[in-house]
Amino acid sequence: MNKIYELSEKIRKETLNVFKGNKDTVDMILACLLAGGHVLLEDVPGTGKTVLAKSVAKATGLDFSRIQCTPDLMPSDVTGSSVWIPSKSEFEFRKGPVMAGIVLVDELNRATPRTQSALLECMAENQISIDGNMYALPKPFFVIATENPVESEGTFPLPEAQKDRFMMCLSMGYPEESAEKEIILAQNTPVHPVENVKAVVTKEEILECMNEALKIYVDDSVLNYILSLAKFTREDGRLLNGVSPRATLALYKAGQCYAAVNNRTYVTPEDIKKLAIPVFRKRVILSTDSVLKGYKAESILQEMLEQTNLPDFKAHA
């Protein structure tokens, strides 16, 4: 049993005590965390996005902060700002909520594009710039953002550059009837179930596992499969833009970590097939003609997976 699986199993078990959704969604979030990426949870309100994010954050034991996005939220409300201190006759930097190990950005698309863009440098460079000074963010630094569908009232579409900073975009859907029953019964208590989630791992263990994940074996046939999927998106006439090299790297690293989370020392083509849509979905842009004809990115990507043959692959010992 590898170290990454042991750590993941502890977090997974603690999270699923509260989050009554799909185990695979939790595994993908853990893969993002260990790969040094960020995750966007997209679904209608009330499906448990915030509960899932809070549960994972508490189980990891990392410093946690929450940003509730609203149209009047300013960039400085996210990053922090310099404040004049009269007694010292100088400016002093006051940290914003983004200076934490895990940051839950709730309803990201309710913030204006200007405020959304304040997260760009944080997510890409693990640092912020205030008044010409650079401030490093903690390691690990993991953003879990939630988003309501764009059709929801009072939302702003995410800029393309912002979407490209998320390693995966996950949609949980509605819970099964039995799970929904558990949710109702669990909520009917004096204390919210999330408050009972305990830290089961340490920051040092997470950093160690992030380094271990780089050693997960990726066969050349699996890498070529990743490149074939990327090529499909770039050559499909229904897409204005296919995925970038950043997306192929994200899929490669996500595959390594997803394999480790599932107690394997190698990546299979099936891992890549499972992760391709969550990694690529927000990174492709449909042409105007495709939008008018009613095409959806997810259906085109599903077609991509059906038309691209899985490579011959033998498990790595």
Side-chain angles (χ1 to χ4, degrees):
M1 187 182 295
N2 67 61
K3 292 179 183 178
I4 300 175
Y5 177 74
E6 290 179 358
L7 176 135
S8 302
E9 182 63 14
K10 290 178 184 177
I11 300 173
R12 183 192 297 118
K13 184 178 179 181
E14 192 70 13
T15 300
L16 290 174
N17 284 336
V18 175
F19 174 68
K20 305 302 179 182
N22 193 332
K23 166 187 170 293
D24 223 30
T25 302
V26 178
D27 286 350
M28 289 186 186
I29 288 177
L30 293 177
C32 281
L33 168 63
L34 295 170
H38 309 285
V39 67
L40 178 64
L41 301 176
E42 183 184 56
D43 231 319
V44 295
T47 50
K49 301 184 296 296
T50 304
V51 168
L52 173 57
K54 281 185 174 181
S55 301
V56 171
K58 292 193 72 174
T60 59
L62 297 172
D63 291 338
F64 170 70
S65 69
R66 179 176 182 267
I67 301 170
Q68 176 61 56
C69 292
T70 56
D72 61 351
L73 188 74
M74 299 295 290
S76 58
D77 296 328
V78 173
T79 59
S81 60
S82 295
V83 178
W84 177 254
I85 308 298
S87 60
K88 297 181 180 179
S89 297
E90 62 181 30
F91 284 97
E92 185 177 285
F93 176 63
R94 298 287 174 87
K95 293 181 180 181
V98 81
M99 304 278 287
I102 293 187
V103 180
L104 168 59
V105 184
D106 218 354
E107 298 186 299
L108 173 60
N109 59 338
R110 290 202 182 278
T112 60
R114 180 185 175 194
T115 302
Q116 290 175 16
S117 65
L119 284 166
L120 275 175
E121 183 184 12
C122 306
M123 295 169 66
E125 308 294 338
N126 273 39
Q127 65 179 28
I128 58 174
S129 302
I130 304 290
D131 297 331
N133 296 314
M134 310 287 273
Y135 299 92
L137 294 172
K139 292 184 180 180
F141 173 67
F142 184 44
V143 173
I144 305 176
T146 70
E147 177 185 44
N148 295 327
V150 174
E151 291 79 10
S152 295
E153 187 177 350
T155 59
F156 301 87
L158 299 186
E160 298 305 325
Q162 180 76 63
K163 290 187 282 190
D164 198 36
R165 294 308 190 273
F166 289 103
M167 178 171 274
M168 289 189 210
C169 175
L170 303 176
S171 182
M172 299 179 296
Y174 294 108
E176 295 180 0
E177 188 174 323
S178 58
E180 191 164 2
K181 183 178 179 180
E182 287 186 58
I183 292 169
I184 294 170
L185 293 175
Q187 294 282 348
N188 193 30
T189 58
V191 179
H192 195 286
V194 173
E195 299 304 316
N196 296 322
V197 177
K198 299 179 179 64
V200 291
V201 298
T202 66
K203 175 182 177 179
E204 290 70 28
E205 288 175 321
I206 293 173
L207 289 171
E208 182 183 358
C209 286
M210 290 176 76
N211 290 327
E212 285 291 317
L214 300 175
K215 302 174 185 176
I216 298 299
Y217 176 75
V218 182
D219 190 76
D220 204 47
S221 63
V222 175
L223 175 55
N224 288 334
Y225 179 54
I226 293 173
L227 296 174
S228 296
L229 296 178
K231 184 179 180 183
F232 183 100
T233 69
R234 295 165 189 170
E235 295 180 350
D236 192 297
R238 293 167 294 181
L239 297 175
L240 183 64
N241 287 335
V243 299
S244 67
R246 182 186 284 129
T248 55
L249 177 59
L251 184 54
Y252 182 95
K253 294 174 71 175
Q256 286 181 302
C257 294
Y258 184 78
V261 163
N262 285 279
N263 202 22
R264 275 183 280 106
T265 57
Y266 56 87
V267 180
T268 67
E270 287 75 14
D271 292 332
I272 300 303
K273 186 174 182 179
K274 180 183 285 289
L275 298 171
I277 291 179
V279 173
F280 284 177
R281 185 157 67 98
K282 285 288 188 178
R283 290 181 158 101
V284 295
I285 302 175
L286 274 66
S287 66
T288 303
D289 188 53
S290 296
V291 173
L292 293 174
K293 289 181 178 178
Y295 284 109
K296 300 291 184 183
E298 194 158 350
S299 60
I300 293 175
L301 294 174
Q302 187 60 51
E303 190 178 315
M304 167 193 77
L305 294 175
E306 292 168 359
Q307 294 184 12
T308 307
N309 294 327
L310 288 172
D312 293 330
F313 174 79
K314 291 183 180 180
H316 180 71

